[in-house]
């Protein structure tokens, strides 16, 4: 009986390996078919039902959903504000496509350090339930940050949209390809208010009673995208530090428990 069971186990192992790597040789297929004698033994034994493979924790903290919702909101603002005889559906669609592509690249660049830090913490957590809890905490913490950021980005877009809406009047005396120039200028006006830092050189501050005040050194106001990346990074830093501490504490407790059991068994 033990010999038969070992033979069955070897064949099941071979089946699993062939399935995992996506194929089987002709000789291995013949070998798998050439074991009818072992099948009745399997039918008569009360083998436990095969348990489904556990779901692996997925690293999805909401970035894709945030960008999708933000893109839809930006498209709606552009469609509802770029109106008039100089704007048609094709031109508006081109503005939306160019702006959303630029925004996608800007978000990818700004959020890359945040994603890398999250990935390192996620990989450092040994248990799948710890990974799942980490992702859940991040999603919950990021939700309010992303909601406020979307409102802020749409507000910043409103500043650029007013500039872009007035471009046709400024382009009446333009020569060359006026449509292409309008498209490019509209994209610059909209993207700059979302992703470009606003810097000021030697800003003079008036003193009391209109007297000459001091001159402030150059300073920059971060863009809306850069501000979003900083808030997300601060949030994930706090959550990651907490999860790593809890994971180390749990590992230490388990090691202590194993040590106690080992000493009692000795």
């Amino acid at each position: 009986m033990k010999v038969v069971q070992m033979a069955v186990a070897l064949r099941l192992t071979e089946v699993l390996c062939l399935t995992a790597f996506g194929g089987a040789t002709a000789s291995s297929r013949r070998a798998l078919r050439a074991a009818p004698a072992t099948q009745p033994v399997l039918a008569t034994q009360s083998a436990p039902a095969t348990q489904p493979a556990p779901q692996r924790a997925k690293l999805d903290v909401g970035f894709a959903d945030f960008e999708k919702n933000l893109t839809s909101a930006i498209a709606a603002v552009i469609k509802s504000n770029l109106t008039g005889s100089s704007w048609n559906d094709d031109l508006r669609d081109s503005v939306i496509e160019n702006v959303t592509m630029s925004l996608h690249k800007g978000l990818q660049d700004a959020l890359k350090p945040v994603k890398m830090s999250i990935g390192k913490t996620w990989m450092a957590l040994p248990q799948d339930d710890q990974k799942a809890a980490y992702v859940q905490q991040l999603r919950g913490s990021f939700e309010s940050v992303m909601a406020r950021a979307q409102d802020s980005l749409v507000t910043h877009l409103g500043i650029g949209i007013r500039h872009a809406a007035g471009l046709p009047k400024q382009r009446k005396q333009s020569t060359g390809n006026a449509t292409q120039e309008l498209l490019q200028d509209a994209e610059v006006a909209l993207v700059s208010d979302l992703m470009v830092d606003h810097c000021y050189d030697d800003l003079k501050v008036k003193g009391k009673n209109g007297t000459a005040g001091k001159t402030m050194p150059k300073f920059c106001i971060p863009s809306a995208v850069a501000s979003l990346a900083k808030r997300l990074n601060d949030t994930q830093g706090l959550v990651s530090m907490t999860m790593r501490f809890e994971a180390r504490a749990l590992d230490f407790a388990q090691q202590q428990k194993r040590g106690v059991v080992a000493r009692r068994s000795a």
Side-chain angles (χ1 to χ4, degrees):
M1 182 66 68
K2 291 184 179 180
V3 174
V4 173
Q5 290 177 344
M6 290 177 61
V8 172
L10 288 172
R11 282 175 171 77
L12 289 175
T13 302
E14 186 177 358
V15 170
L16 291 174
C17 291
L18 292 173
T19 303
F21 292 102
T25 61
S27 59
S28 61
R29 286 194 296 267
R30 288 194 299 269
L32 289 173
R33 290 195 298 264
T38 61
Q39 294 175 1
V41 177
L42 287 176
T44 58
Q45 295 190 22
S46 57
T50 304
Q51 295 295 327
Q55 283 291 107
R56 299 287 295 179
K58 294 182 180 180
L59 186 53
D60 178 8
V61 297
F63 289 139
D65 291 339
F66 166 73
E67 185 175 344
K68 180 181 178 181
N69 295 335
L70 178 61
T71 299
S72 299
I74 287 176
V77 171
I78 293 175
K79 285 184 178 180
S80 62
N81 286 274
L82 296 187
T83 57
S85 58
S86 299
W87 298 99
N88 54 45
D89 290 339
D90 290 339
L91 193 55
R92 276 189 292 269
D93 289 342
S94 296
V95 173
I96 292 171
E97 181 180 2
N98 292 349
V99 170
T100 52
M101 286 179 61
S102 297
L103 180 61
H104 172 74
K105 185 179 184 306
L107 287 172
Q108 291 292 314
D109 294 340
L111 298 180
K112 184 177 180 180
V114 182
K115 294 178 180 179
M116 290 181 65
S117 181
I118 292 173
K120 289 178 180 179
T121 299
W122 191 79
M123 292 296 295
L125 298 174
Q127 304 297 330
D128 281 350
D129 57 345
Q130 293 174 329
K131 295 181 191 298
Y134 176 56
V135 171
Q136 184 177 5
Q137 288 191 32
L138 282 178
R139 286 187 70 94
S141 300
F142 282 173
E143 186 175 352
S144 59
V145 175
M146 291 178 176
R148 291 194 299 268
Q150 180 170 322
D151 292 341
S152 176
L153 286 163
V154 172
T155 300
H156 279 78
L157 183 71
I159 301 172
I161 207 76
R162 288 192 291 271
H163 182 200
L167 287 173
K169 296 180 180 179
Q170 303 173 22
R171 287 291 173 187
K172 284 186 176 180
Q173 305 299 324
S174 177
T175 58
N177 191 339
T179 300
Q180 186 63 28
E181 291 178 358
L182 178 61
L183 178 61
Q184 292 175 351
D185 289 349
E187 180 185 355
V188 170
L190 297 174
V191 170
S192 63
D193 281 305
L194 297 177
M195 295 186 294
V196 178
D197 296 344
H198 295 279
C199 298
Y200 301 88
D201 293 317
D202 300 331
L203 184 65
K204 294 183 178 180
V205 181
K206 291 184 179 181
K208 295 181 179 180
N209 301 324
T211 59
K214 62 180 181 179
T215 300
M216 296 181 62
K218 178 181 177 179
F219 68 96
C220 295
I221 299 176
S223 69
V225 170
S227 298
L228 166 65
K230 184 179 184 307
R231 288 193 294 270
L232 289 174
N233 192 56
D234 291 344
T235 302
Q236 73 82 20
L238 180 60
V239 174
S240 298
M241 181 177 62
T242 303
M243 289 298 300
R244 283 175 178 264
F245 175 79
E246 291 178 353
R248 287 195 294 267
L250 178 62
D251 182 63
F252 177 77
Q254 291 175 343
Q255 289 180 6
Q256 292 291 101
K257 183 177 180 180
R258 287 194 295 268
V260 171
V261 172
R263 285 193 298 270
R264 288 178 178 177
S265 300

